[in-house]
């Protein structure tokens, strides 16, 4: 991941997406086109008109023309859609709202989702800043991992989902390695069936959209750490999107004997309401200096060096960002709908709650403002975009 993509990268895939890209601040027009297999170059940086640019999205490449792989009774699916996109890496200012992005085609194992709501994650900002451009999909990018919406088209190999199903999920199986070029901040998005689950019946789309990446990260990180009933845990960043779910899952799903968590002064009651037995004000106390130690420390904020100091002998620290020192380990989730299916009963019973930041949901035309807010690191729960037209 230390390698940096050169200014010109060649991709070789079956069905390119033809994009006419002008300057970074001009509207971006993206069209689907069926071509024979060939190699093309993607040049990043300035794109002077009128030269067309062919971009290949391997994670959402359309199936071959020889075989019919999809079915849909939705005659109203348009050919183009509204979406947020960026054509260069940078800050919030590179985000552009456009209205003529091609609706993605689907592979035989995918469904097309009419997006009702989407959520933002810190990884979206890191991706936009080019933090892992060496393993990113080609530009231009429609950002967004988390989605909730309605299935409007299914591939021929889709076994369980059908048109009309209300679903939610993280549409990129690997967050840092080849995430989808066309994400969830759009009217439509495509995703493999294995990445999705039926939306919990008691949740609205905005609530459901905020769950997938954070819930899967929380659950799978706890599993990886060997967390189980009767063990104790300290959650660093308990009021955030992942941290708030780690508290709940540790208590309600895994049967923790004790849950401690850090938060700022104004959010201590919030994390107590989620199930924290011990709320630590990080503005006044150094958690690593407390006499009490824990079986697991779940670090969502990048304090891996301090996290290991709060462990019992034989304990383990899950580190989501920054350096990890043994016995801590860096953890990056592999998304799967199976995790969401396991958690659905806890969500539908109300034992685990979906938490949308009180400043939201943000409307679709305010995605740039939502990202600016996310980047302050002051959100409580998840930053959600809803409704999406």
């Amino acid at each position: 991941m230390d390698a940096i993509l050169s200014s010109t990268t060649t991709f070789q895939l079956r069905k390119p997406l033809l994009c006419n890209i002008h300057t970074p601040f001009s509207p971006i027009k993206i069209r689907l086109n069926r071509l024979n297999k060939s190699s093309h170059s993607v040049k990043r940086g300035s794109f002077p008109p009128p030269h067309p640019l062919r971009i290949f999205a391997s994670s959402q490449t359309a199936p071959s023309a020889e075989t019919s792989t999809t079915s849909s009774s939705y005659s109203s699916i348009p050919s183009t859609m509204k979406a947020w996109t960026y054509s260069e890496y940078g800050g919030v200012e590179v985000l552009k709202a456009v209205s003529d992005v091609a609706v993605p085609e689907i592979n035989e194992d995918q469904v097309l989702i009419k997006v009702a709501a989407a959520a933002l994650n810190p990884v979206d900002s890191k991706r936009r800043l080019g933090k892992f451009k060496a393993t990113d999909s080609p530009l231009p990018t429609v950002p967004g991992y988390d989605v909730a919406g309605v299935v409007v088209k299914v591939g021929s190999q889709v076994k369980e989902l059908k048109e009309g199903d209300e679903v939610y999920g993280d549409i990129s199986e690997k967050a840092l390695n080849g995430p989808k070029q066309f994400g969830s901040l759009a009217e439509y998005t495509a995703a493999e069936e294995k990445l999705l689950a039926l939306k919990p019946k008691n949740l609205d789309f905005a609530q459901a959209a905020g769950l997938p990446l954070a819930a899967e990260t929380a659950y799978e990180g706890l599993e990886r750490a060997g967390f189980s009933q009767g063990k104790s845990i300290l959650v660093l960043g308990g009021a955030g999107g992942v941290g708030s779910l780690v508290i709940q899952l540790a208590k309600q799903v895994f049967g923790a004997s004790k849950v401690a968590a850090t938060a700022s002064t104004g959010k201590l009651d919030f994390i107590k309401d989620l199930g924290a037995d011990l709320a630590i004000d990080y503005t006044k106390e150094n958690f690593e200096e407390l006499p009490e130690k824990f079986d697991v420390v779940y670090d969502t904020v990048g304090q891996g060096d301090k996290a290991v100091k709060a462990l019992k002998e034989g304990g383990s620290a899950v580190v989501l960002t920054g350096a990890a020192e043994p016995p801590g380990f860096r953890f990056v989730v592999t998304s799967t709908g199976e995790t969401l299916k396991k958690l659905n009963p806890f969500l539908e019973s109300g034992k685990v709650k979906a938490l949308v930041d009180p400043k939201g949901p943000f409307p679709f035309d305010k995605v740039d403002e939502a990202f600016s807010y996310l980047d302050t690191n002051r959100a409580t729960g998840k930053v959600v975009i809803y409704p999406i037209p």
Side-chain angles (χ1 to χ4, degrees):
M1 199 167 296
D2 294 331
I4 302 297
L5 282 179
S6 61
S7 59
T8 302
T9 305
T10 301
F11 300 85
Q12 188 172 21
L13 291 166
R14 298 177 65 180
K15 290 190 178 181
L17 300 175
L18 182 57
C19 308
N20 293 327
I21 299 182
H22 305 292
T23 66
F25 299 95
S26 300
I28 300 170
K29 191 168 185 179
I30 302 175
R31 300 189 183 90
L32 290 176
N33 189 18
R34 299 179 182 271
L35 300 177
N36 294 328
K37 181 185 289 186
S38 58
S39 297
H40 302 274
S41 294
V42 178
K43 187 173 182 181
R44 302 185 179 195
S46 300
F47 305 112
H51 305 295
L53 179 69
R54 298 181 190 274
I55 291 185
F56 304 82
S58 59
S59 61
Q60 288 174 278
T61 308
S64 63
E66 292 82 3
T67 305
S68 175
T69 62
T70 65
S71 65
S72 176
S73 61
Y74 281 75
S75 59
S76 60
I77 299 174
S79 59
T80 60
M81 63 182 180
K82 296 177 182 178
W84 281 84
T85 186
Y86 54 88
S87 298
E88 59 180 326
Y89 293 116
V92 173
E93 69 277 359
V94 303
L95 289 163
K96 306 297 174 186
V98 295
S99 59
D100 55 356
V101 176
V103 172
E105 293 189 48
I106 59 173
N107 288 332
E108 60 186 12
D109 63 339
Q110 293 180 322
V111 300
L112 183 66
I113 302 167
K114 175 65 181 75
V115 181
L120 309 186
N121 293 280
V123 69
D124 287 296
S125 294
K126 292 178 182 178
R127 181 185 183 189
R128 191 194 65 241
L129 290 168
K131 297 292 187 181
F132 52 95
K133 66 172 107 177
T135 56
D136 198 2
S137 53
L139 294 169
T141 295
V142 174
Y145 291 78
D146 285 331
V147 69
V150 180
V151 174
V152 295
K153 190 175 183 179
V154 298
S156 63
Q157 297 303 311
V158 172
K159 296 179 173 58
E160 296 180 8
L161 296 178
K162 61 185 183 302
E163 290 175 26
D165 280 343
E166 296 181 349
V167 296
Y168 73 132
D170 169 9
I171 66 171
S172 289
E173 185 174 15
K174 301 286 187 180
L176 306 182
N177 188 6
K180 283 188 169 60
Q181 184 179 11
F182 295 93
S184 59
L185 290 172
E187 292 183 274
Y188 294 86
T189 195
E192 289 77 13
E193 181 184 32
K194 68 180 181 179
L195 302 181
L196 303 171
L198 293 176
K199 179 179 72 66
K201 298 180 178 63
N202 60 319
L203 301 185
D204 60 30
F205 285 114
Q207 292 169 319
L211 285 166
L213 181 55
E216 292 170 9
T217 300
Y219 183 89
E220 293 172 34
L222 288 167
E223 278 197 325
R224 172 82 177 275
F227 195 72
S228 59
Q229 186 173 359
K231 290 187 176 182
S232 62
I233 186 170
L234 169 63
V235 184
L236 305 185
V242 174
S244 60
L245 282 161
V246 174
I247 292 172
Q248 295 185 81
L249 298 187
K251 197 81 166 183
Q252 300 295 338
V253 179
F254 287 83
S257 61
K258 185 169 187 177
V259 177
T262 65
S264 59
T265 307
K267 296 178 180 178
L268 297 179
D269 287 339
F270 172 74
I271 62 174
K272 289 178 182 176
D273 290 341
L274 293 179
D277 302 297
L278 174 63
I280 302 168
D281 187 341
Y282 68 77
T283 69
K284 299 177 181 178
E285 295 183 272
N286 296 320
F287 67 85
E288 71 276 16
E289 296 176 359
L290 295 176
E292 185 172 7
K293 305 303 177 183
F294 302 88
D295 295 302
V296 170
V297 176
Y298 202 119
D299 174 22
T300 73
V301 297
Q303 294 185 314
D305 56 335
K306 296 180 180 180
V308 294
K309 297 178 181 178
L311 287 172
K312 292 179 179 179
E313 185 176 352
S316 182
V318 185
V319 180
L320 298 187
T321 184
E325 296 185 8
F329 61 91
R330 276 294 303 272
F331 175 71
V332 179
V333 69
T334 298
S335 289
T336 170
E338 291 305 311
T339 297
L340 299 178
K341 292 174 185 176
K342 291 177 184 176
L343 295 179
N344 272 359
F346 297 94
L347 291 160
E348 291 182 339
S349 69
K351 290 182 178 180
V352 175
K353 296 176 175 58
L355 303 168
V356 177
D357 183 90
K359 288 187 179 295
F362 289 80
F364 189 62
D365 62 353
K366 302 295 184 184
V367 164
D368 51 350
E369 294 183 14
F371 267 113
S372 294
Y373 176 60
L374 175 75
D375 293 344
T376 67
N377 296 318
R378 295 176 180 171
T380 301
K382 291 302 297 290
V383 178
V384 173
I385 309 301
Y386 175 84
I388 293 180

